[in-house]
């Protein structure tokens, strides 16, 4: 059988489904479980021989049962030909994000999708050339794969790690030098502790893969020593085969695609000075982790109300707290927003109310609730018994109903009111109050006059001028702002050819909206930052938050706290995990309070 080739004879990558034949933690990697060994068997595709990977190439890997869109680029560590139509490929995987987390959880017999082999290869050294190989962290994999193709003892291998060592099973160098940041193995220090200009002059060429600072150091040393170097780069990828242009890197020869023009580049054309950016480069100093005795302070004060931590259950997703009290201790939460309350009881919308969609949920509940008086007599007393701060979410269909509802809540002990102005304004033909600066200002002013309670106004992301509306409600008396509410969406039943929802349009929430919600929160927090300090009010961010990493992003964007909603439906323990995740993150980063990193991205 023949391999798939282009007209020029180049072996082309193929899309195949492989079978996992092994997946285990790599001994020597620190911390334990941070690096994994994955072995995959790939058989012939469409009657064509499986392309054999060459040193330096990679595959786009994706678990067939993945919930993620994209594969992850992973370099080939080694491979073995079993037969003409069956090969075994080995990878080292750094457990880093959701994609790699899925890959390292694969078991023998699981299916895995592969696109590849992709990319160029390491240049073959001239016969008799003196070669130096450099691998940093998991970057040892592609360099070790290349070294294994060389004659034993014809090269020196330098491996740099933060701690421990791994990925050196298949190499047979003349000299192996290991450096570790903590001195646990070999020389203490970074790669520059083992190599300098004078030492580099002993070689004819250098081959390296690892973190960018290490590659920049190797490039500089090679240039001063007059030694040719080849550097394997990495970047985030979507297609992996040169179509999307999402992985380009800047070079002296213009933009190059990391996936097909690389990943191996002539070191002379790479310009590492372009990596620094006034926008994306870190501006915060590294801090030592907190000691075991130190406990980070997760508390936050919003409009004079003290919350034990920044995680608040969003309105409409957590009932009144009791509903989830048998699932976990809701006292761990910072706060609980009640279901949306209206002056009179509401039956909600007719027909279908929920449709699940990709990474999200469309709902058309219609603010079904028992009415404010019923809430005050029946649900509020039990809510107030929780340690979590009770926030009453107030909705209405007219200014009068908003005002009367606020007056009733003002007579209670509820600590805070969240004013939802995404509801239809019956006097404006059904348009939500929050869509217009004037209407938003009018309703907030009226409610502000009706209650002395701290007032947090919940804004709609569908407003044409969101910042304008936010400033209007601030000037009208809002003590805080929460955003975003759901995005307007629709769904059609393809069997009937008719809309799913009676109101046609409904509210979209869930992980899919998170990047857009984050951008809106960022924009508002930046606008607040540009005001005099005494004119700013806190912003509570929400929209698609499902992990502690999401929550940290919102806080770094300037949010005082976060609300979590739809994520609870998929994982009832999501908020508990988010709280603990934030705390562990703060410990590791040395942050003693939320203020240590709040707004750092602005």
């Amino acid at each position: 059988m023949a391999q798939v080739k282009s007209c020029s004879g180049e072996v082309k990558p193929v899309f195949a489904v492989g079978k996992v034949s092994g997946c285990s933690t790599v001994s020597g990697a620190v911390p334990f479980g941070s690096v994994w060994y994955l072995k995959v068997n790939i058989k012939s595709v469409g009657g064509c021989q499986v392309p054999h990977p060459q040193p330096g190439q990679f595959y786009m890997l994706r678990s067939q049962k993945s919930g993620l869109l994209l594969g992850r680029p992973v370099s080939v560590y080694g491979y073995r030909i079993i037969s003409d139509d069956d090969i075994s490929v080995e990878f080292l995987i750094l457990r880093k994000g959701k994609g790699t987390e899925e890959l390292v959880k694969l078991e023998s017999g699981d299916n895995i999708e592969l696109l590849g082999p992709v990319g160029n290869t390491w240049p073959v050294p001239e016969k008799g050339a003196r070669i130096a190989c450099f691998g940093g962290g998991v970057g040892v994999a592609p360099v070790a794969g290349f070294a294994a193709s060389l004659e034993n003892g014809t090269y020196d291998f330098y491996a740099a790690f933060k701690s421990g060592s791994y990925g050196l099973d298949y190499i047979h160098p003349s000299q192996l030098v290991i450096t570790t940041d903590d001195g646990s193995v070999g020389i203490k220090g970074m790669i520059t502790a083992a190599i300098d200009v004078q030492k580099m002059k002993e070689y004819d060429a250098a081959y390296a893969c690892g973190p960018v600072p290490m590659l920049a150091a190797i490039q500089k040393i090679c240039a001063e020593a007059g030694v040719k170097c080849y550097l394997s780069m990495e970047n985030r990828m979507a297609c992996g085969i040169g179509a999307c242009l999402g992985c380009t890197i800047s070079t002296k020869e213009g933009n190059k695609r990391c996936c097909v023009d690389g990943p191996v580049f002539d070191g002379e054309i790479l310009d590492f000075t372009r990596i620094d950016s006034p926008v994306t480069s870190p501006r915060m100093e590294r801090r030592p982790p907190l000691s075991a005795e130190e406990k980070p302070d997760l508390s936050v004060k919003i409009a004079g109300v003290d919350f034990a931590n920044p995680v608040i259950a969003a309105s409409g997703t957590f009932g009144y707290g009791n509903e989830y009290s048998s699932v976990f201790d809701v006292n761990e939460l910072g706060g609980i927003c009640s279901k949306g309350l209206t002056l009179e009881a509401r039956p909600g919308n007719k027909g279908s109310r929920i449709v699940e969609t990709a990474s999200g949920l469309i709902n058309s509940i219609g603010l079904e609730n028992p009415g404010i008086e019923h809430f005050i007599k029946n649900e509020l007393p039990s809510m107030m018994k929780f340690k979590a701060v009770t926030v009453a979410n107030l909705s209405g269909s007219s200014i009068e109903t908003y005002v009367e509802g606020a007056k009733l809540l003002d007579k209670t002990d509820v600590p805070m009111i969240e004013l939802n102005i995404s509801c239809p304004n019956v006097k404006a033909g059904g348009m939500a109050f929050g869509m217009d600066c004037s209407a938003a200002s009018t309703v907030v002013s009226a409610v502000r006059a009706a209650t002395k309670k701290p007032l947090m106004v919940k804004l709609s992301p569908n407003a044409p001028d969101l910042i304008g509306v936010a400033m209007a409600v601030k000037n009208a008396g809002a003590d805080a702002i929460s955003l975003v509410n759901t995005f307007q969406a629709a769904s059609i039943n393809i069997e009937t050819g008719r809309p799913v929802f009676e109101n046609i349009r409904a509210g979209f929430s869930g992980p899919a909206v998170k990047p857009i919600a984050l951008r809106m929160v960022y924009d508002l927090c930046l606008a607040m930052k540009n005001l005099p300090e005494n004119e700013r009010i806190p912003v509570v961010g929400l929209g698609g938050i499902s992990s502690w990493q999401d929550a940290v992003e919102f806080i770094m964007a300037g949010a005082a706290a976060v609300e979590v909603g739809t994520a609870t439906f998929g994982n009832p323990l999501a908020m508990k995990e988010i709280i603990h995740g934030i705390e562990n993150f703060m410990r590791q980063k040395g942050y003693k309070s939320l203020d240590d990193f709040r707004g750092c991205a602005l």
Side-chain angles (χ1 to χ4, degrees), residues 212 216 219-220 250 252 269-278 281:
V212 167
Q219 181 203 51
K220 183 175 184 295
S250 297
K252 295 173 183 177
I269 73 169
L270 298 175
D271 186 358
F272 289 107
T273 62
R274 300 187 185 185
I275 294 172
D276 291 330
S277 162
S281 295

Side-chain angles (χ1 to χ4, degrees), residues 55 121-126 146 150 207 230 264-265:
T121 63
W122 299 102
V124 178
E126 294 182 5
F146 163 70
L150 303 177
Y207 296 72
Y230 301 97
V264 179
F265 293 92

Side-chain angles (χ1 to χ4, degrees), residues 63-360:
S63 167
Q64 198 170 57
K65 52 188 178 185
S66 173
L68 301 175
L69 174 66
L70 304 177
R72 297 299 190 263
V74 184
S75 297
V76 174
Y77 178 46
Y79 85 96
R80 182 170 63 90
I81 300 173
I82 300 174
S83 66
D84 284 348
D85 61 351
D86 190 1
I87 65 171
S88 176
V89 185
E90 302 170 11
F91 306 92
L92 292 185
I93 297 177
L94 176 65
R95 189 176 191 168
K96 191 175 183 180
K98 291 181 179 179
T100 53
E101 181 72 25
E102 288 186 347
L103 292 176
V104 303
K105 287 183 177 179
L106 291 170
E107 299 178 349
S108 293
D110 284 347
N111 287 340
I112 182 171
E113 296 173 351
L114 306 95
L115 178 63
V118 187
N120 60 11
T121 63
W122 299 102
V124 178
E126 294 182 5
K127 188 173 180 60
R130 296 165 299 173
I131 304 300
C133 298
F134 298 90
V138 77
V140 300
V143 189
F146 163 70
S149 70
L150 303 177
E151 187 178 340
N152 293 353
T154 60
Y155 59 91
D156 290 341
F157 201 102
Y158 296 81
F161 305 94
K162 289 184 178 179
S163 184
S165 68
Y166 57 87
L168 308 174
D169 308 288
Y170 302 147
I171 64 172
H172 300 282
S174 173
Q175 179 183 210
L176 172 62
V177 180
I178 299 175
T179 70
T180 50
D181 291 356
D182 62 2
S184 56
V185 180
I187 301 170
K188 183 176 182 179
M190 295 181 289
I191 198 71
T192 48
I195 191 76
D196 56 20
V197 175
Q198 196 59 39
K199 180 68 176 175
M200 188 65 79
K201 288 181 179 179
E202 298 178 8
Y203 302 105
D204 297 308
Y207 296 72
C209 182
V212 167
M214 187 194 94
L215 296 183
I218 296 295
Q219 181 203 51
K220 183 175 184 295
I221 291 172
C222 285
E224 294 178 10
V227 174
K228 192 74 176 175
C229 70
Y230 301 97
L231 308 178
S232 180
M233 303 291 290
E234 67 173 3
N235 206 347
R236 294 181 179 179
M237 298 180 185
C239 70
I241 55 175
C244 71
L245 304 180
C247 67
T248 58
I249 59 175
S250 297
T251 76
K252 295 173 183 177
E253 298 177 355
N255 284 348
K256 297 285 186 180
R257 296 165 298 178
C258 195
C259 60
V260 292
D261 297 321
V264 179
F265 293 92
D266 183 333
E268 292 181 3
I269 73 169
L270 298 175
D271 186 358
F272 289 107
T273 62
R274 300 187 185 185
I275 294 172
D276 291 330
S277 162
V279 175
T280 62
S281 295
R283 287 179 285 181
M284 299 176 68
E285 293 183 2
R286 281 190 173 185
R287 308 182 185 199
L290 299 184
S291 67
E293 294 75 28
E294 292 180 286
K295 183 176 175 62
D297 181 9
L298 272 67
S299 66
V300 60
K301 186 184 289 287
I302 302 172
V305 179
D306 292 316
F307 293 76
N309 63 67
V311 179
I312 304 168
S315 174
T317 64
F318 206 68
Y320 303 101
N322 278 320
E323 291 84 345
Y324 278 92
S325 60
S326 65
V327 178
F328 73 97
D329 185 3
V330 299
N331 290 299
E332 294 184 41
L333 300 177
I336 302 172
C337 292
S338 73
K339 288 188 68 68
L341 304 166
T342 52
L343 184 61
E344 303 293 339
R346 288 185 58 153
N349 293 333
K350 297 178 181 179
S352 297
R353 292 187 171 191
I354 290 176
V355 166
E356 183 179 5
T357 186
S359 296

Side-chain angles (χ1 to χ4, degrees), residues 25-36 93-94 161 163-167:
T25 56
V26 173
S27 61
V30 179
F32 180 77
S34 58
V35 179
W36 287 65
I93 297 177
L94 176 65
F161 305 94
S163 184
S165 68
Y166 57 87

